[in-house]
Amino acid sequence: MPRRHVVISAHNGVHARPVAELVRLVQAHPHAVTLRTSSGAVVDLSSVLALMDLALAPGDAVVLETAESADAESVLDTLAGVLDPRG
């Protein structure tokens, strides 16, 4: 299963604008994408409320994961870019 380890560097963490972008990207992908925090919480990235509830901040480490597909690596790279724009 393709995955990306990401340390959030977005200036204000994961607030409304990056959450909306993440959800938009995931909804365009044919497979579910999950985000796992270092504390073990796992959420489906298509859920705005679940993602906002995590209150992710700069410096938090997460793992993005999706099913194997032709565009899985590209989708994970794009999502990682939203969370870590300096990466």
Side-chain angles (χ1 to χ4, degrees):
M1 186 172 261
R3 66 181 56 163
R4 287 290 176 287
H5 296 267
V6 181
V7 175
I8 297 170
S9 70
H11 175 66
N12 291 323
V14 181
H15 57 87
R17 187 169 289 140
V19 165
E21 180 67 8
L22 291 169
V23 170
R24 183 188 67 76
L25 291 166
V26 168
Q27 288 178 343
H29 183 59
H31 303 286
V33 180
T34 59
L35 179 144
R36 183 172 19 97
T37 66
S38 58
S39 67
V42 178
V43 298
D44 181 338
L45 277 184
S46 66
S47 171
V48 171
L49 293 178
L51 190 53
M52 290 292 289
D53 192 42
L54 294 174
L56 297 169
D60 288 349
V62 299
V63 177
L64 303 170
E65 211 168 58
T66 190
E68 190 69 48
S69 69
D71 65 343
E73 298 295 332
S74 173
V75 167
L76 292 176
D77 287 343
T78 303
L79 294 169
V82 173
L83 295 170
D84 182 15
R86 295 182 249 171

